[in-house]
Amino acid sequence: MGALRRWVQVLSTLLVNGSWDFPFTRTIYQGPLKVLCAPGLNCHSCPASTTSCPIGSLQQLLAGLRLSLENGQFYFGFYVLGFMGVLGGIMGRAVCGWLCPFGLIQDLLHRIPSRKFAVPAGLRYLKYGFLVFFVILLPLLVVDQFGSGDTWFCKYICPAGTLTASLPLLIMQPDLRQDLGLLFLNKFVIMVTFLTWAVYASRPFCRTTCPLGAFYALFSRVKLIKLRLDHARCTNCEACHQVCPMGVKFNQSPDDAECITCLACMDKACEAGAIYLEIGGVPVSSRKRGPVTTTSNLS
């Protein structure tokens, strides 16, 4: 199952980054597909990107909301929010585990041989702050003299944008280098920090900072595709703790908002077959390896 997930990640990344003529055009794709959002974090300004980033698009919507209201325009396109909501309702953070290009990059970096460290559990809540303040409040409330806001998270934080957009554009368009300043240096340091951290800890950006992951996490209890725990079969061996890339202790919190449904706990760890995949309330996968083990059997 791990190999299947990796192939799906690669295919998804290629599908939303299909404009491979950029080495010749040296520009950003602006074709008709750009009105669509990628399911994961994928920068609009990446030269290969054929889609828009949902987080960037949401900021653009909110940044222009006040100006639209002041001009008497009361019709707003909430397609982006609806798109994110539908995906969240169906998959939750499985989007992060299967369809996000920056998630794939972190997974590959973590395969580099090195000593591995855990991400402090308390840092998981920071990403909700980034969602509320950098993606929603600042674009909506901090506006210029014309009443227009800014894309704060994209402009000041996002390491995915720096890696896949800023650096390629600087290589292809050398004239842009003369305008580099503290803003780029700040984002470059953030990018290097997360990429280095990803070698030593699993998915640190997803777990601590990503506002898109925070949004999808809100659907952890209602999503259609989810992992379930058969408490009658669970032996509390805690093998699932060791393989989870997000630090989820599945036998203790099967509805944990951090779960990206990577299936590692079900596929690699649970010998008792206590973890199974459910779609719309219907079990579709289970690894029934042995007899049911109850508390009375263990006493």
Side-chain angles (χ1 to χ4, degrees):
M1 193 63 72
L4 173 62
R5 184 171 76 93
R6 190 73 70 235
W7 278 110
V8 172
Q9 286 178 294
V10 171
L11 180 60
S12 174
T13 298
L14 293 176
L15 286 175
V16 298
N17 293 283
S19 181
W20 291 105
D21 61 343
F22 70 87
F24 307 101
T25 63
R26 297 180 179 271
T27 58
I28 300 171
Y29 171 82
Q30 295 291 349
L33 293 177
K34 213 68 171 189
V35 299
L36 302 177
C37 285
L41 202 68
N42 194 69
C43 186
H44 167 97
S45 297
C46 171
S49 176
T50 53
T51 56
S52 295
C53 175
I55 287 297
S57 299
L58 181 58
Q59 289 173 91
Q60 289 281 7
L61 169 67
L62 296 175
L65 195 60
R66 180 179 295 189
L67 182 62
S68 298
L69 289 173
E70 290 177 351
N71 291 330
Q73 299 174 2
F74 302 108
Y75 297 96
F76 310 108
F78 283 100
Y79 148 75
V80 177
L81 194 57
F83 172 80
M84 294 166 62
V86 169
L87 271 182
I90 296 173
M91 299 181 67
R93 292 205 71 181
V95 174
C96 309
W98 292 76
L99 303 178
C100 181
F102 200 62
L104 172 61
I105 291 171
Q106 292 174 88
D107 285 343
L108 295 177
L109 287 172
H110 195 60
R111 294 170 68 93
I112 297 174
S114 67
R115 186 179 178 184
K116 305 303 180 183
F117 300 90
V119 175
L123 297 182
R124 66 187 291 182
Y125 300 106
L126 291 177
K127 60 181 171 288
Y128 297 100
F130 282 102
L131 173 63
V132 171
F133 290 101
F134 280 87
V135 176
I136 299 176
L137 293 182
L138 290 177
L140 187 62
L141 301 178
V142 181
V143 298
D144 58 22
Q145 64 271 30
F146 303 106
S148 181
D150 208 345
T151 55
W152 286 76
F153 186 80
C154 297
K155 189 173 181 178
Y156 295 100
I157 305 292
C158 187
T162 307
L163 177 65
T164 64
S166 299
L167 293 182
L169 288 173
L170 288 172
I171 294 172
M172 294 189 306
Q173 301 180 21
D175 292 344
L176 295 176
R177 300 173 193 172
Q178 63 186 2
D179 298 322
L180 296 180
L182 290 178
L183 177 59
F184 176 78
L185 178 61
N186 169 73
K187 289 197 65 180
F188 184 80
V189 169
I190 291 174
M191 179 199 72
V192 171
T193 298
F194 276 112
L195 294 183
T196 304
W197 194 3
V199 176
Y200 298 99
S202 178
R203 288 183 168 241
F205 178 75
C206 301
R207 295 164 73 173
T208 67
T209 310
C210 182
L212 186 58
F215 181 86
Y216 287 141
L218 300 176
F219 297 86
S220 61
R221 294 184 179 275
V222 298
K223 60 186 179 180
L224 293 180
I225 301 175
K226 62 173 63 180
L227 285 173
R228 289 289 197 183
L229 179 68
D230 185 341
H231 293 276
R233 301 187 70 92
C234 181
T235 64
N236 290 310
C237 66
E238 299 186 353
C240 53
H241 299 193
Q242 309 305 317
V243 300
C244 181
M246 299 295 286
V248 174
K249 298 178 180 179
F250 192 79
N251 65 313
Q252 298 176 12
S253 55
D255 286 320
D256 198 305
E258 293 297 284
C259 178
I260 58 173
T261 322
C262 67
L263 308 184
C265 56
M266 182 187 80
D267 190 52
K268 297 179 181 179
C270 188
E271 294 290 335
I275 302 174
Y276 61 95
L277 184 66
E278 178 184 278
I279 300 179
V282 180
V284 296
S285 178
S286 178
R287 302 193 70 176
K288 303 295 185 183
R289 297 186 180 181
V292 175
T293 305
T294 63
T295 304
S296 59
N297 297 138
L298 297 174
S299 58

